[in-house]
Amino acid sequence: SDRRMRVLIRDYRKKDYATDVLSFAAEGSSGEAAFRLPPFAARAPHPGSRQLGDVVVATGVARRQARAARHSYQSELRVLALHGLLHLLGYDHEDPRDDGRMKRTEMRLRKKGGLKAGLIQRIEGARAGVGPRGH
């Protein structure tokens, strides 16, 4: 829920709002940009699998962003899941050393997945005063 996401953001990012997506890296994963799994989410991975972590989505925020972006809720979930996964893989568009790598990777993968706009594009558009904001 948006309320639960707001608590997570307050606890992990020291900000007071509900964001759309938050990534929690599993112990031993490469997701340096993501937060470590909170105790309530820690669990044993399935034998033979590699767990990167968890991607948490605020459903209310996702529904509002889907309406603003004029696409389905399912498409918005795919956009947010892709963005969260990239954070689990170690990408961080907020880090100056990223130099656009996450944006380029997100763009390439969303096109392959049939997604019209990525979250980073929307964030940049919102900063420029164009379109809905996300993240």
Side-chain angles (χ1 to χ4, degrees):
S1 70
D2 290 3
R3 192 169 115 200
R4 183 68 180 128
M5 178 64 87
R6 189 175 187 155
V7 170
L8 290 171
I9 292 296
R10 202 174 315 148
D11 290 350
Y12 289 91
R13 297 194 73 192
K14 309 301 181 217
K15 297 180 181 181
D16 190 24
Y17 61 89
T19 191
D20 44 15
V21 62
L22 188 60
S23 300
F24 290 94
E27 289 298 320
S29 73
S30 63
E32 295 173 20
F35 299 98
R36 292 290 160 214
L37 281 170
F40 69 84
R43 61 188 172 283
H46 187 273
S49 70
R50 180 171 173 235
Q51 182 177 346
L52 292 175
D54 287 327
V55 174
V56 180
V57 173
T59 55
V61 174
R63 288 185 192 284
R64 290 189 298 277
Q65 287 180 181
R67 281 192 299 273
R70 294 189 171 113
H71 60 218
S72 70
Y73 177 61
Q74 291 76 19
S75 290
E76 184 66 15
L77 290 177
R78 291 172 60 204
V79 167
L80 297 175
L82 172 59
H83 190 84
L85 175 63
L86 290 174
H87 277 300
L88 290 178
L89 292 171
Y91 291 91
D92 185 1
H93 57 95
E94 294 179 356
D95 184 333
R97 295 172 296 171
D98 176 76
D99 198 31
R101 281 179 356 127
M102 184 172 178
K103 179 181 176 181
R104 289 188 301 275
T105 302
E106 184 179 79
M107 186 181 303
R108 187 179 77 249
L109 293 174
R110 73 169 170 76
K111 284 181 181 178
K112 282 187 175 188
L115 300 171
K116 293 179 183 174
L119 192 54
I120 296 172
Q121 273 185 297
R122 290 197 326 228
I123 293 166
E124 290 174 349
R127 286 181 185 147
V130 181
R133 186 189 189 288
H135 203 48

